[in-house]
Amino acid sequence: MVTAATGVAAAVPPPPPNPSDSELKTSRADAKAKAGKVGELTNQLAQAEARLMDLQADVEAKMEEANKALVDLESAVDAAAKAKADAEAAKREADSAGRDIEAARKQLDDFAAGSYKQGTTMGSMSAYVGAKSPEDLLARAQLLNAVSGSELDALESMERARTVKANKDSLARAALDEANKRQAEAEQAKRNADAATATAQQAQRDQASKSQELEAARADYERQLNEAQAKVGGLENQRQRYQEWLAAKQREDAAKAAAAGNPRPVVGRPSGDRAQIVINRALSQLGVQYAWGGGNGSGPTRGIRDGGVADSYGDYNKVGFDCSGLMIYAFAGVGIRLPHYSGYQATSGRRVPLNQMAPGDMLFWATGGRIHHVAMYIGNGQMVEAPYSGSRVRIAPVRYGGIVPYATRLL
């Protein structure tokens, strides 16, 4: 190096530290081992997450069964109440008919007893007293015969009515027994459905706990990996600085002027790349908590109630994103508006085969043909997503279990 004032070559400063090849090799091996462990834990976590998604779908199905059982139980209770009312009404009718028949029978018995005491089958002698002529007497006898006959006819009619009402009473009681049986069956079905839902929710909570443990373990190894990579980078920087010093020393020794090199420009994605804008916007929300129903074009919002799993995690009191809300925010950065439902987002653009998916495409998962989750592909087999209640926006390997066979492209 030559100074401007003297024109004499300046001495090269003392050499910087030069890590040995062994140190570099050991450091790189340690970083590689840490990266391998991170990859292993990432795969385990992906499997755990896939299991959690399956359990979540199972919980939703069990909750629907419990809802159906509740509706059936309410219908059975209503039917049993109506059958009970019908049975009580039929019994009252039968009892009333019985009382009417007993009264009519007593009246007829009193008439017959009076006739017997007077020594005639035509009625009481008092009915004949005061007859003014034989014709009048005969008319009164015919009248008494008609009265006795009509009472017998009425008694027979009431007996038939009582039989009809007794049959109605019997049928109503049988209907009540059947309704009570259906109600008992519906109550048992509701208990079974509630128990199945509780079991499914417990399995989901257990799996979520395992996933959190794996997530914590992976985070710890990622920290170690970052430290190992920083160490490798530090050693490599030292080696590079030493090599630069050595080159300068060689130039000095050869009495050559130092040549200043222009740095090579960094090649990256153009700033106007819409896919990268969308990806960067989604990645800017890493770590934001999940909130079912949360998220819009401006950012995270308060979640809403779902009457089930999300409520148990208190999502309605959290500010964050759900899976489709994160997509709304990401694509709003390039002026694209999306509906807050993953099923509609799946049809909002052009479908491409999974083997042609590109960064910025949306990926979807379905159970029983119904789409229930969406994430964004960011390249290198990775995606960004808001996965489920109790989690946060994160980067994860693409899960192929339950994935629909296409990606949706908007850009």
Side-chain angles (χ1 to χ4, degrees):
M1 180 183 306
V2 179
T3 66
T6 65
V8 178
V12 175
N18 179 26
S20 66
D21 291 343
S22 176
E23 287 178 304
L24 282 168
K25 182 177 180 182
T26 300
S27 179
R28 289 166 179 160
D30 182 52
K32 183 177 180 180
K34 294 293 193 305
K37 187 62 178 179
V38 170
E40 177 186 341
L41 288 170
T42 298
N43 288 335
Q44 292 179 15
L45 185 60
Q47 294 173 4
E49 295 301 327
R51 174 62 178 156
L52 186 59
M53 291 296 183
D54 291 343
L55 289 172
Q56 182 172 345
D58 185 49
V59 167
E60 292 170 357
K62 292 294 193 303
M63 288 174 65
E64 284 301 301
E65 287 297 319
N67 289 338
K68 175 182 180 296
L70 177 60
V71 172
D72 292 345
L73 175 58
E74 291 172 348
S75 298
V77 170
D78 291 343
K82 183 179 183 303
K84 182 179 180 181
D86 292 344
E88 290 174 349
K91 186 176 186 304
R92 286 194 297 271
E93 289 182 9
D95 291 345
S96 177
R99 289 192 295 271
D100 291 344
I101 289 170
E102 291 304 319
R105 188 183 298 282
K106 186 176 184 303
Q107 184 179 353
L108 188 59
D109 289 346
D110 290 346
F111 177 85
S115 298
Y116 175 74
K117 289 177 182 178
Q118 298 299 328
T120 174
T121 60
M122 293 187 296
S124 173
M125 284 299 294
S126 61
Y128 300 99
V129 176
K132 298 177 180 179
S133 65
E135 291 80 2
D136 189 15
L137 184 65
L138 179 59
R140 294 190 181 203
Q142 290 173 341
L143 176 62
L144 289 172
N145 282 333
V147 169
S148 63
S150 66
E151 289 187 349
L152 287 171
D153 289 343
L155 182 63
E156 183 179 356
S157 296
M158 283 190 288
E159 285 282 7
R160 286 196 300 270
R162 181 168 70 170
T163 300
V164 171
K165 288 180 172 56
N167 288 338
K168 288 174 61 179
D169 179 36
S170 177
L171 291 173
R173 282 187 280 106
L176 176 58
D177 290 342
E178 180 65 20
N180 287 334
K181 177 183 176 184
R182 298 298 181 198
Q183 180 178 340
E185 291 174 350
E187 289 172 347
Q188 185 60 49
K190 181 65 170 65
R191 286 192 292 271
N192 292 344
D194 288 343
T197 299
T199 299
Q201 289 175 334
Q202 184 59 50
Q204 186 194 36
R205 286 192 291 270
D206 292 343
Q207 186 64 36
S209 177
K210 293 178 182 177
S211 296
Q212 289 171 356
E213 292 174 1
L214 283 170
E215 183 70 46
R218 187 181 70 169
D220 181 57
Y221 267 94
E222 285 179 338
R223 178 187 57 78
Q224 296 181 41
L225 174 60
N226 289 336
E227 292 175 354
Q229 288 175 333
K231 183 178 180 181
V232 170
L235 292 176
E236 289 179 341
N237 284 338
Q238 289 180 8
R239 172 62 64 87
Q240 182 179 356
R241 286 197 299 273
Y242 177 81
Q243 290 174 341
E244 290 173 351
W245 173 88
L246 185 61
K249 183 71 169 65
Q250 290 172 344
R251 287 194 297 272
E252 182 189 44
D253 291 343
K256 293 181 179 180
N262 294 323
R264 181 175 297 177
V266 177
V267 178
R269 299 183 71 98
S271 60
D273 188 327
R274 300 176 77 210
Q276 192 62 47
I277 292 173
V278 169
I279 291 172
N280 289 344
R281 204 166 155 86
L283 293 178
S284 72
Q285 301 303 305
L286 290 176
V288 174
Q289 62 189 345
Y290 182 97
W292 192 78
N296 60 25
S298 300
T301 64
R302 187 174 298 278
I304 61 176
R305 291 184 179 272
D306 74 335
V309 175
D311 285 1
S312 71
Y313 281 90
D315 284 15
Y316 54 87
N317 276 330
K318 296 178 179 178
V319 174
F321 292 98
D322 64 6
C323 61
S324 53
L326 182 62
M327 299 300 106
I328 291 174
Y329 176 73
F331 282 95
V334 292
I336 295 177
R337 298 181 62 181
L338 290 175
H340 205 142
Y341 171 52
S342 57
Y344 292 152
Q345 290 181 356
T347 60
S348 61
R350 181 166 59 92
R351 293 181 176 182
V352 297
L354 280 181
N355 62 0
Q356 297 178 21
M357 62 184 173
D361 290 347
M362 289 187 291
L363 307 176
F364 298 89
W365 287 259
T367 298
R370 184 173 182 177
I371 290 175
H372 57 76
H373 186 59
V374 58
M376 180 184 295
Y377 184 61
I378 60 175
N380 297 321
Q382 303 288 308
M383 62 185 184
V384 58
E385 64 173 348
Y388 52 81
S389 294
S391 65
R392 294 178 180 273
V393 176
R394 64 174 187 194
I395 295 173
V398 174
R399 295 184 301 276
Y400 287 93
I403 196 170
V404 300
Y406 59 83
T408 296
R409 183 168 296 166
L410 300 178
L411 304 171

